[in-house]
Amino acid sequence: MLIPQLHNKVILLAEDDRSSILLINTILQPTGVEVITVMNGLEAVATLERDPKINLVLMDVQMPEMDGIEATIKIREKNKTIPIIAQTAFATTEDKARCQRVGFTAFIAKPIDIRLLYDTLWVYLNDK
């Protein structure tokens, strides 16, 4: 499997499950990307507003306080271009369509397919 080299890129990871955070950080570590982690959608919106170096958001759909759907809607009110990738265990066609409607750029089902995650990050972070 080809591991994309994403040095000098910053991902905002919005995820409330500590084991998922550990897993995703372990998967991303070989890419060289910097990961900023927040535990809910409220923190994701606030962090993105104050940190312009973030290149991409990896957003869990189900989180406390503010879920990923609501957070994405709020982010899209101010930032139409940053890639926001949904990650969710709910991977039906209807779920994917809902994510697309609210402004997610891409969709990755849980459990995370490492190759799909790497390929998706490469598409949205390569030379951007």
Side-chain angles (χ1 to χ4, degrees):
M1 175 179 349
L2 186 61
I3 298 173
Q5 293 306 297
L6 302 170
H7 300 277
N8 302 316
K9 301 297 183 188
V10 180
I11 292 176
L12 176 62
L13 172 61
E15 172 64 66
D16 64 314
D17 180 72
R18 293 196 186 280
S19 60
S20 292
I21 292 168
L22 179 61
L23 174 65
I24 293 167
N25 275 295
T26 301
I27 292 168
L28 294 178
Q29 191 275 330
T31 71
V33 72
E34 177 185 343
V35 179
I36 298 169
T37 304
V38 297
M39 300 293 286
N40 61 59
L42 279 173
E43 292 176 7
V45 171
T47 300
L48 194 57
E49 285 179 359
R50 72 173 178 266
D51 195 341
K53 71 180 181 183
I54 296 169
N55 303 104
L56 180 141
V57 180
L58 190 56
M59 180 87 70
D60 186 19
V61 173
Q62 286 196 305
M63 293 181 290
E65 294 186 52
M66 179 187 289
D67 67 22
I69 299 286
E70 189 177 344
T72 297
I73 291 167
K74 292 208 176 291
I75 291 167
R76 288 295 181 226
E77 289 171 0
K78 296 180 182 175
N79 186 330
K80 306 275 190 228
T81 60
I82 191 163
I84 305 174
I85 300 171
Q87 53 164 342
T88 182
F90 300 98
T92 67
T93 303
E94 191 175 297
D95 294 320
K96 290 178 185 179
R98 181 175 181 221
C99 287
Q100 189 174 28
R101 276 194 311 273
V102 301
F104 282 97
T105 312
F107 184 97
I108 295 176
K110 290 181 180 178
I112 291 179
D113 176 323
I114 297 170
R115 179 172 300 181
L116 177 60
L117 178 60
Y118 283 165
D119 289 349
T120 303
L121 294 178
W122 182 254
V123 165
Y124 294 106
L125 292 177
N126 185 33
D127 294 331
K128 291 185 174 81

